[in-house]
């Protein structure tokens, strides 16, 4: 029992001939072993065979395993290695060992054990790999499931899901969402980071869960750049570069996230702000918790007010007058361009957002109304759909010639339709410790 695969290997030797109560006892033994974290899921033979098969997968299609894992195991926190865009044959051992302890979160029928996450992943990889290698992977899955006592119907459901998924045309990634949470206890610029890929069809994939280790702005920008690269490798993505939405709390609206720079690639390319590479905008869903009707107001403004814009000026008055404008003449307006005194601009920004204005643009370095001209090059009242790209181009020009910086634009853009606001996903296998009891 000193070897982590000893119990599974012994069971493998007995399972082929065990029947009736002996077979039930053997299945119960495997369940207890998993529940108590005693030994590894796979036997020596099963492990070696799977490693060989998945190495063949990585040699032929390096991006297939991480892409498939994101689809097959959407509700499981994946090992860090599966967040990479591509894997080599040398990475396969870390993948298998990182998934052995997890179930796919669905209980088996008739008291049978749940299907391990690893077997669900193998079924999805088999469906995507095609004939030959796919047949070998399915044969491995069937043999391993039989040894574990998994109900044939449960494995069949996973196989059917995999086949259906493989037939669907991949929906491109439309948005990369980076959630930032500042940890005040850290006492400096350090954040918990969570990254989600959102597709055109509304589905999403958690690429990176918030980790216990806090990240600096540079580290967060590097994680984001890796995520955008991962999205670019997705099937059907083509030349489309996803939009980056940075989710912050109300204090985070002051962050110059678009100016954060990832680690430089050696001495060849200089560091480049993420806002110069991608369309980067802010979102503050926290405010919907303060005023639940805000999301309904956003939908109404998106539907009726895309062509309308409110540009604040001295005639707009104070905060109370701004509220009046947004509730009467500009009740359906979808865009506000904020000019005015820096000391009052933050409260005006929150007023706009709470009242459901989905698009707000301002110059975070402007002092007063006289600085309004600094944003003119962006045509802030021009074509709404082109505004994010105009802002990106401006940020790129500013990064190229920082001495000539004319403004530091911030853009809030609350997407039509809600962003995925899921809590941190499954932190541990909920099956462990309960199934065998």
């Amino acid at each position: 029992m000193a070897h982590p695969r000893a119990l599974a290997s012994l069971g493998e030797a007995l399972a082929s001939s065990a029947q009736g109560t002996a077979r039930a006892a053997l299945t119960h033994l495997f369940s207890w072993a998993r529940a108590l974290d005693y030994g590894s899921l796979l036997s020596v033979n099963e492990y070696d065979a799977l490693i060989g098969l998945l190495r063949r997968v990585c040699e032929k299609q390096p991006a297939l395993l991480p892409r498939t894992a994101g689809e097959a195991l959407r509700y499981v926190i994946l090992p860090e290695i599966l967040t990479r865009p591509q894997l080599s044959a040398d990475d396969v051992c870390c993948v298998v060992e990182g998934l052995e302890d997890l179930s796919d979160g669905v209980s088996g029928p008739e008291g049978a054990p749940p299907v391990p996450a690893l077997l669900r992943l193998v079924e999805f990889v088999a469906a995507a790999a095609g004939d030959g290698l796919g047949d070998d992977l399915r044969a491995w899955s069937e043999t391993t499931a039989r040894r574990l006592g998994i109900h044939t119907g449960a494995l069949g459901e996973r196989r059917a899901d995999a086949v259906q998924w493989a037939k669907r045309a991949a929906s491109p990634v439309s948005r990369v969402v980076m959630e930032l949470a500042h940890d005040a206890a850290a006492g400096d610029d350090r954040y918990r980071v969570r990254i989600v890929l959102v597709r055109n069809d509304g589905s999403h994939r958690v690429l990176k869960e918030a980790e216990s280790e806090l990240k600096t702005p540079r580290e967060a920008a590097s994680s984001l750049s890796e995520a955008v690269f991962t999205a670019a490798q997705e099937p059907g993505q083509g030349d489309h570069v996803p939009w980056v939405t940075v989710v912050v709390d109300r204090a985070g609206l002051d962050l110059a996230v678009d100016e954060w720079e990832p680690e430089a690639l050696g001495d060849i390319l200089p560091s480049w702000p993420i806002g110069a590479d991608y369309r980067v905008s802010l979102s503050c869903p926290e405010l919907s918790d303060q005023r639940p009707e805000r999301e309904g107001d956003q939908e109404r403004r998106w539907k009726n007010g895309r062509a309308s814009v409110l540009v604040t000026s001295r005639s707009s008055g104070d905060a109370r007058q701004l509220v009046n404008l947004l509730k009467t003449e500009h009740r359906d307006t979808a865009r506000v361009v904020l000019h005015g005194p820096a000391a009052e601009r933050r409260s005006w920004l929150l007023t706009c957002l709470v009242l459901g204005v989905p698009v707000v643009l301002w110059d975070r370095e402007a002092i007063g109304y006289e600085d309004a001209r600094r944003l003119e090059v962006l045509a802030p009242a021009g074509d709404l759909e082109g505004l994010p790209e105009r802002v990106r181009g401006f940020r790129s020009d500013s990064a190229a010639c920082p001495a000539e910086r004319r403004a530091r634009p911030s853009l809030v853009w609350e997407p039509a339709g809600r962003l995925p606001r899921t809590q941190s996903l499954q932190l541990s296998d909920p099956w462990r410790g309960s199934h065998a009891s």
Side-chain angles (χ1 to χ4, degrees):
M1 298 309 295
H3 196 289
R5 302 195 183 279
L7 187 60
S9 298
L10 175 63
E12 180 185 33
L14 299 173
S16 60
S17 58
Q19 297 179 359
T21 56
R23 172 66 256 196
L26 199 56
T27 299
H28 194 59
L29 175 63
F30 294 143
S31 296
W32 270 105
R34 288 196 66 203
L36 299 177
D37 195 18
Y38 195 85
S40 300
L41 172 72
L42 302 181
S43 70
V44 172
N45 291 335
E46 291 163 350
Y47 177 83
D48 289 345
L50 181 59
I51 293 297
L53 290 169
L54 294 182
R55 281 178 173 161
R56 287 166 57 192
V57 170
C58 290
E59 288 167 358
K60 290 184 175 181
Q61 302 181 61
L64 179 58
L65 197 52
R67 175 173 68 86
T68 306
E71 294 293 334
L73 304 173
R74 290 187 179 184
Y75 305 107
V76 172
I77 296 180
L78 299 175
E80 180 71 19
I81 195 166
L82 280 172
T83 64
R84 299 178 187 174
Q86 296 186 348
L87 297 180
S88 70
D90 294 336
D91 297 322
V92 168
C93 293
C94 293
V95 171
V96 173
E97 290 163 13
L99 290 175
E100 276 189 278
D101 291 338
L102 301 176
S103 81
D104 67 359
V106 182
S107 297
E110 303 175 11
V115 177
L118 189 58
L119 266 66
R120 180 176 175 86
L121 175 60
V122 168
E123 287 293 337
F124 274 67
V125 173
D131 296 336
L133 182 53
D135 292 338
D136 292 342
L137 286 163
R138 279 186 283 269
W140 178 92
S141 182
E142 290 171 1
T143 301
T144 304
R146 191 179 307 116
R147 193 268 297 174
L148 290 169
I150 292 169
H151 196 282
T152 54
L155 184 64
E157 288 178 1
R158 277 46 170 199
R159 182 166 296 176
D161 290 344
V163 170
Q164 185 177 11
W165 165 77
K167 289 180 178 178
R168 290 201 311 263
S171 178
V173 176
S174 59
R175 199 170 291 265
V176 177
V177 180
M178 178 170 70
E179 301 175 11
L180 293 179
H182 180 249
D183 193 327
D188 57 6
D189 254 4
R190 292 187 174 272
Y191 304 86
R192 300 193 189 283
V193 176
R194 185 172 186 261
I195 299 178
V196 181
L197 303 185
V198 181
R199 300 185 184 279
N200 282 342
D201 62 6
S203 63
H204 67 274
R205 165 189 171 192
V206 178
L207 191 64
K208 185 179 291 293
E209 271 291 358
E211 300 166 349
S212 57
E213 183 178 349
L214 302 176
K215 293 187 180 294
T216 64
R218 185 174 291 275
E219 291 167 341
S222 295
S223 294
L224 177 65
S225 294
E226 291 172 4
V228 173
F229 178 76
T230 297
Q233 309 305 305
E234 295 279 315
Q237 197 65 29
D239 296 330
H240 176 67
V241 177
W243 190 331
V244 173
T245 293
V246 182
V247 174
V248 295
D249 59 14
R250 65 178 69 185
L253 291 167
D254 295 325
L255 292 173
V257 179
D258 54 276
E259 295 180 7
W260 289 3
E261 298 177 351
E263 297 287 344
L265 298 175
D267 299 328
I268 302 174
L269 292 176
S271 295
W272 203 247
I274 57 176
D277 266 344
Y278 326 117
R279 291 167 292 168
V280 174
S281 58
L282 302 173
S283 174
C284 189
E286 169 193 292
L287 295 175
S288 295
D289 299 331
Q290 305 295 317
R291 184 173 175 270
E293 54 267 52
R294 173 185 182 234
E295 291 183 358
D297 289 343
Q298 285 177 352
E299 291 179 10
R300 187 192 69 249
R301 290 179 185 274
W302 273 126
K303 181 179 179 181
N304 302 324
R306 288 178 176 270
S308 178
V309 57
L310 170 60
V311 181
T312 61
S313 62
R314 285 184 173 85
S315 63
S316 303
D318 59 14
R320 295 183 68 84
Q321 290 169 305
L322 178 60
V323 170
N324 180 60
L325 281 171
L326 292 174
K327 287 190 171 186
T328 56
E329 181 181 347
H330 288 277
R331 181 175 181 272
D332 289 340
T333 294
R335 175 178 21 165
V336 172
V337 181
L338 278 180
H339 299 308
E344 298 181 43
R345 193 168 54 236
R346 176 170 178 76
S347 66
W348 294 357
L349 170 62
L350 293 176
T351 296
C352 293
L353 297 180
V354 167
L355 290 178
V357 177
V359 180
V360 184
L361 174 70
W362 72 101
D363 177 1
R364 57 180 175 265
E365 236 179 33
I367 297 173
Y369 290 111
E370 62 276 9
D371 292 322
R373 56 183 174 78
R374 290 157 51 105
L375 289 180
E376 288 178 357
V377 69
L378 294 174
D383 169 51
L384 177 60
E385 300 305 323
L387 179 60
E389 180 59 26
R390 295 198 297 276
V391 172
R392 187 206 65 77
F394 180 89
R395 289 166 173 167
S396 184
D397 291 342
S398 297
C401 303
E404 300 178 14
R405 185 191 298 275
R406 293 150 289 176
R408 298 176 71 192
S410 286
L411 177 65
V412 166
W413 188 294
E414 301 286 4
R418 297 180 62 178
L419 290 170
R421 295 185 61 192
T422 53
Q423 299 295 322
S424 289
L425 301 181
Q426 181 179 320
L427 297 179
S428 60
D429 186 352
W431 174 85
R432 169 164 291 164
S434 62
H435 178 79
S437 62

